[in-house]
Amino acid sequence: MSAGKATGVLQRLEVPALVLVPATLLGCAYLQIDQAALLTMLVALLCLMVFFAGYERSRPPLKQIMPTVVLAALAAAGRMIFAPIPDFKPVSAIAIIAGVVFGKRCGFMVGALAALVSNFFFGQGPWTPWQMYAWGLMGYMAGVLASHGAFKRPAVLYAYGFLAPFLGYGLILNSWYVVGFVHPLTWPAVVAAFAAAAALDLTHGVATVVFLLALYEPWKRKLQRIKNKYDLMLG
């Protein structure tokens, strides 16, 4: 198979791979599978492999790679700088900005790489693929929504910035914890687990809005100029 065809196949697998992760979590919860933590982590890794393989297969030139790498590095550095404040981090905001300006795949890669790189500081573990997936999903969905004109009104962007940490990052990470490590799996246990994380998810949502308010307009203008100047098509 040629590189172009392989890239096309991998790109067509992106949405099924993204959907497969929460579907597996739901299936494991319904079936009460004992090894759910391992099984769901393998599915999350498979999803990440689809995106990274597709990115590598596309063989982007250096000028196409640089925005993704730089934004991911800024997100990772920002996460480390704000380490003393739990869940008050700029990663989600930067992944969203990347998705809006450079497209859904760039948004995913920025979120995923930021999680991977910053965890060399915070510590790698079974949570790393989930953080990569969750932050990547936030950037990917921002790119999808932006391509349909959803963020022409700033209020919609900030609403997404507030809700995505709950419905994307928080829901995914909390569900993985519940399905993989809460036994027996009962409704009271599920409610208790999500309630314990509610304050952190709220902080994450507020932080994302704060960083979007501070960064979105100036960064978008500068990144858009770079995109136009160098004719960047990141997808």
Side-chain angles (χ1 to χ4, degrees):
M1 184 182 295
S2 67
K5 289 183 178 179
T7 301
V9 170
L10 289 167
Q11 289 180 352
R12 286 192 291 273
L13 288 174
E14 288 174 357
V15 173
L18 288 171
V19 172
L20 182 61
V21 176
T24 304
L25 284 169
L26 288 172
C28 288
Y30 181 76
L31 297 173
Q32 300 278 315
I33 295 176
D34 290 335
Q35 299 298 323
L38 176 60
L39 175 60
T40 54
M41 186 179 71
L42 291 175
V43 173
L45 285 169
L46 176 63
C47 175
L48 293 170
M49 287 173 60
V50 168
F51 277 88
F52 279 81
Y55 194 80
E56 189 277 333
R57 277 283 186 173
S58 67
R59 293 186 174 89
L62 182 60
K63 70 175 184 178
Q64 303 276 71
I65 296 173
M66 286 306 295
T68 302
V69 173
V70 170
L71 288 172
L74 289 171
R79 187 183 180 205
M80 289 183 278
I81 290 170
F82 286 90
I85 311 175
D87 271 9
F88 195 90
K89 309 291 187 290
V91 180
S92 298
I94 295 175
I96 290 170
I97 293 169
V100 170
V101 177
F102 294 115
K104 57 190 179 183
R105 294 184 186 92
C106 181
F108 186 94
M109 293 300 294
V110 167
L113 287 172
L116 177 64
V117 172
S118 60
N119 274 0
F120 285 104
F121 174 82
F122 288 98
Q124 304 285 356
W127 52 84
T128 298
W130 292 101
Q131 291 175 322
M132 293 174 68
Y133 170 82
W135 265 318
L137 179 63
M138 291 175 64
Y140 188 92
M141 289 306 302
V144 171
L145 292 170
S147 69
H148 289 85
F151 296 146
K152 290 181 179 179
R153 295 168 57 191
V156 178
L157 171 74
Y158 299 131
Y160 176 78
F162 181 74
L163 293 174
F166 287 93
L167 303 179
Y169 189 94
L171 181 61
I172 293 295
L173 269 294
N174 295 337
S175 297
W176 164 66
Y177 168 75
V178 167
V179 171
F181 302 101
V182 175
H183 301 289
L185 189 58
T186 62
W187 281 113
V190 171
V191 171
F194 275 82
L200 293 175
D201 292 336
L202 177 61
T203 302
H204 190 174
V206 171
T208 302
V209 174
V210 169
F211 283 111
L212 283 174
L213 285 167
L215 303 177
Y216 181 74
E217 288 299 336
W219 281 31
K220 182 185 177 184
R221 287 195 298 270
K222 293 177 182 178
L223 293 172
Q224 194 67 49
R225 283 201 298 269
I226 293 171
K227 179 181 178 181
N228 295 336
K229 179 177 180 180
Y230 295 103
D231 192 28
L232 301 178
M233 299 295 292
L234 306 188

